[in-house]
Amino acid sequence: MCRLQSRLIYCMKPDYDIAFVGSGFGGSLLSMIARRIGLSVILIERGTHPRFAIGESTSPITNLVIEELASRYNLPRLLPLTAWGSWQRAYPEIAGGMKRGFTYYHHIAGKRFEQDSERGNQLMVAASTTDEIADTHWLRADVDQFLMREAVSTGVEYVDEVSLSGVEWGGGGGARLKGERSGKLFNLSARLVIDATGPRGLLSRALGIPDAGFPDYPATQALFSHFTGVCRTDEMDSYAVDGMPPYRPDDSALHHVFDGGWMWVLRFNNGVTSAGIAVTEDLGRELALQEGAAAWERFLARFPSVAEQFEEAEAIRPFTYAPRLSYRATQAAGPGWAMLPSAAAFIDPLFSTGFPLTLLGIERLARIIEEVWGSPDLDSRLRDYSGLTLQDADCTARLVGASYAAFANFPLFAELSMFYFAAASYSEMARRLKRPYLVRRFLAADHPLFGPAMVECEDRVRRPGSTDIASFSGRVRDGIEPINIAGLCDTNKRNWYGVDLEDVVIGADKLGFTPDEMRDKLATATWAKAACRKMRDEG
């Protein structure tokens, strides 16, 4: 049966090797990889493209994994999306934003933000040296549609507006998906079903998988929308700074942090800005987030400098209220099925961990499909995948949960965040230097020194009144030292961390090189040329 809709031909046959449910970026990307491996694949969507989604901010490890997947599975059209400059040249019609790093400002209710001469109420951590190689924000409506169409071009069969009502599991393996489309029965079989629908999705419901939650993690809510007319902080007097920051603050993932939660502000190049708040349940009730636009105004009224930034802003879509943000399934895969990490667990977008967690899961599932498809080892490999996926989610939740406990004390939060930035920069460099085995787990949680130190500091933050900032800073500095190749915890930098490849040279032994070997590596690496050139220009 074939249909013509939205200029795409949808062809359905009765059975497939893999059925992907959900055509967001994760489902579309893994479906095209499965086609490249040679399997028959269908991609099933409940709605239609383009459609709104959040989870919009990438990171260096995100783009590195996409590069590696694109190279391994012959998907060259994905490569331009991995850096701002190449994206703008190849796909200017796909809206996105430039992300030079992570910016955090601390706010106190009822008070305007004022610059601290020592920059103790802000944090800037660069992820790139130039706009050309910067990371990106994805306007998901555009990018997801692009990736879906790329999947179709590789031979993935795609069908939208499908309402699935259930899954029946066969005695000999595989599953039958049932539902309806346009008032008619929808019915097909697949040897493997992969859920890419997001938390509390199809397989969680069909299999009755409980939500285990995360220990010691606060209940949180969110409210968000897309806006036009959002002012740039670097054009506001409140945020004026002395000196030259490592990048323009708004060309980043910009965060406003306050007691009880935080706000994200992500700019796209079409005049649209994604903004939202994630707050503890207590604060969410106090603000009555379920009231949408009225709750947004109540939030702005608390923080004068944030309100000033949004004074001329206009929401261009209805507010979305998420009454329960975090989710963790008790199982992420089993015989004949698997969830992408984005369907197995969701924590919080504070450190832009959603993309890398999902992509690392895609990388693992791709290897499993490539190496043991049709083998008796498939089920055991899926069990391993389930364990790793949930362990990564647990590790992320510990760090984000501790961050919520530290938001009221910004210096404490800034110190704690060094664990994320140390792990992220080390993981990136290990991959770039072809030594991915140095970091086998997300956030370097398996490092024998770094991992336990991170857990210890997370626990300390959760004990009210037990953390002296001076002693805590020292413990953080010692804890990240084994993998600190980014010059983090340097008090002379006063919370502004640019990218300096000399820091990588100094830490060369942590990556298994001598300083001279590292200089040679950096001098010949294509990805490092822009940084080296900039360093020479700056003397």
Side-chain angles (χ1 to χ4, degrees):
M1 174 175 63
C2 297
R3 303 173 186 269
L4 181 64
Q5 183 168 327
S6 303
R7 300 181 183 175
L8 294 174
I9 295 177
Y10 303 147
C11 299
M12 285 180 52
K13 57 183 186 176
D15 61 89
Y16 296 83
D17 290 320
I18 306 180
F20 289 88
V21 184
S23 64
F25 90 91
S28 293
L29 178 55
L30 187 52
S31 72
M32 64 180 90
I33 290 172
R35 276 299 299 142
R36 286 288 194 245
I37 292 171
L39 303 183
S40 61
V41 178
I42 187 166
L43 183 61
I44 303 167
E45 170 61 37
R46 180 179 61 183
T48 59
H49 286 280
R51 78 281 196 277
F52 174 79
I54 61 165
E56 300 155 317
S57 192
T58 70
S59 62
I61 197 69
T62 296
N63 296 312
L64 274 171
V65 175
I66 293 175
E67 285 180 18
E68 292 171 10
L69 292 173
S71 298
R72 183 176 183 86
Y73 298 105
N74 188 27
L75 298 167
R77 283 176 53 80
L78 303 187
L79 289 171
L81 294 177
T82 61
W84 177 246
S86 57
W87 178 332
Q88 295 312 293
R89 288 189 294 275
Y91 305 123
E93 73 282 4
I94 301 176
M98 178 168 57
K99 180 182 178 181
R100 288 288 307 275
F102 294 76
T103 302
Y104 301 86
Y105 294 119
H106 184 238
H107 295 264
I108 298 173
K111 295 185 178 181
R112 291 177 58 82
F113 179 85
E114 295 182 359
Q115 289 286 348
D116 179 335
S117 61
E118 292 301 311
R119 302 197 285 261
N121 58 354
Q122 63 180 277
L123 173 66
M124 297 181 70
V125 184
S128 61
T129 52
T130 66
D131 296 354
E132 171 68 21
I133 60 173
D135 299 322
T136 56
H137 306 308
W138 291 4
L139 184 65
R140 290 286 300 277
D142 282 13
V143 178
D144 286 5
Q145 180 172 252
F146 170 80
L147 292 174
M148 177 275 290
R149 291 178 177 273
E150 288 299 302
V152 171
S153 74
T154 67
V156 172
E157 296 184 19
Y158 170 74
V159 60
D160 62 6
E161 297 184 297
V162 175
S163 177
L164 291 175
S165 56
V167 184
E168 293 181 357
W169 302 97
R176 179 164 293 277
L177 300 176
K178 293 187 173 184
E180 66 172 22
R181 183 178 190 272
S182 301
K184 297 182 179 180
L185 291 179
F186 180 91
N187 198 324
L188 62 84
S189 296
R191 293 162 185 79
L192 178 65
V193 178
I194 296 182
D195 188 345
T197 59
R200 306 174 185 89
L202 173 75
L203 290 181
S204 291
R205 299 190 304 270
L207 295 169
I209 296 175
D211 178 356
F214 296 103
D216 301 320
Y217 191 86
T220 55
Q221 303 181 353
L223 183 69
F224 48 86
S225 188
H226 279 175
F227 300 81
T228 56
V230 178
C231 185
R232 294 180 63 97
T233 60
D234 51 27
E235 296 174 354
M236 297 171 61
D237 292 341
S238 296
Y239 300 91
V241 297
D242 294 326
M244 182 65 68
Y247 51 83
R248 293 185 73 188
D250 293 75
D251 294 339
S252 71
L254 191 147
H255 309 70
H256 295 300
V257 175
F258 47 87
D259 187 7
W262 65 285
M263 178 186 203
W264 69 85
V265 183
L266 310 176
R267 295 181 175 277
F268 304 114
N269 62 348
N270 62 350
V272 174
T273 296
S274 173
I277 56 174
V279 300
T280 61
E281 193 168 63
D282 288 344
L283 183 52
R285 288 199 193 101
E286 189 177 337
L287 292 168
L289 289 194
Q290 72 276 7
E291 295 182 8
W296 186 260
E297 293 302 320
R298 283 191 289 272
F299 166 75
L300 293 180
R302 288 186 172 222
F303 301 105
S305 295
V306 179
E308 182 182 353
Q309 185 180 15
F310 281 79
E311 186 174 6
E312 303 297 328
E314 180 179 351
I316 59 173
R317 65 176 310 279
F319 281 87
T320 298
Y321 167 56
R324 188 178 181 190
L325 204 54
S326 64
Y327 169 80
R328 183 200 188 275
T330 55
Q331 188 177 354
W337 65 274
M339 298 179 190
L340 290 189
S342 53
F346 184 83
I347 300 102
D348 186 288
L350 178 65
F351 293 114
S352 302
T353 56
F355 275 141
L357 284 170
T358 296
L359 284 158
L360 290 171
I362 288 172
E363 185 178 54
R364 290 167 182 160
L365 283 171
R367 287 298 184 101
I368 291 170
I369 294 167
E370 181 181 6
E371 294 170 2
V372 299
W373 182 259
S375 159
D377 294 334
L378 179 60
D379 287 351
S380 65
R381 292 284 296 274
L382 288 175
R383 282 195 299 272
D384 293 342
Y385 163 83
S386 177
L388 287 172
T389 295
L390 295 176
Q391 288 168 28
D392 284 349
D394 291 341
C395 176
T396 305
R398 284 195 300 270
L399 182 59
V400 175
S403 296
Y404 269 84
F407 280 157
N409 184 344
F410 189 78
L412 199 64
F413 164 72
E415 291 292 340
L416 181 67
S417 74
M418 295 295 102
F419 282 101
Y420 168 77
F421 293 112
S425 55
Y426 186 76
S427 299
E428 175 195 357
M429 199 58 63
R431 280 194 179 242
R432 288 196 182 281
L433 296 172
K434 310 303 180 187
R435 298 198 170 184
Y437 54 84
L438 291 174
V439 185
R440 298 186 183 276
R441 291 281 308 285
F442 189 59
L443 297 180
D446 57 337
H447 190 283
L449 299 176
F450 176 86
M454 181 164 57
V455 171
E456 176 193 335
C457 288
E458 291 162 350
D459 289 343
R460 286 179 63 176
V461 165
R462 290 189 180 92
R463 297 196 296 269
S466 65
T467 303
D468 171 73
I469 188 62
S471 65
F472 186 75
S473 298
R475 183 64 187 105
V476 171
R477 188 177 301 108
D478 292 343
I480 71 170
E481 195 280 331
I483 65 170
N484 183 8
I485 56 162
L488 301 169
C489 291
D490 183 346
T491 56
N492 293 322
K493 296 182 179 181
R494 294 187 297 153
N495 283 349
W496 281 2
Y497 295 97
V499 176
D500 185 347
L501 292 182
E502 190 59 32
D503 289 325
V504 181
V505 172
I506 292 170
D509 62 307
K510 300 169 187 177
L511 291 158
F513 297 98
T514 66
D516 287 342
E517 289 171 335
M518 182 63 76
R519 286 192 179 90
D520 290 342
K521 289 281 184 183
L522 296 177
T524 58
T526 302
W527 54 267
K529 287 181 179 178
C532 291
R533 189 181 307 116
K534 183 177 181 183
M535 289 168 62
R536 286 197 301 271
D537 292 345
E538 293 176 351

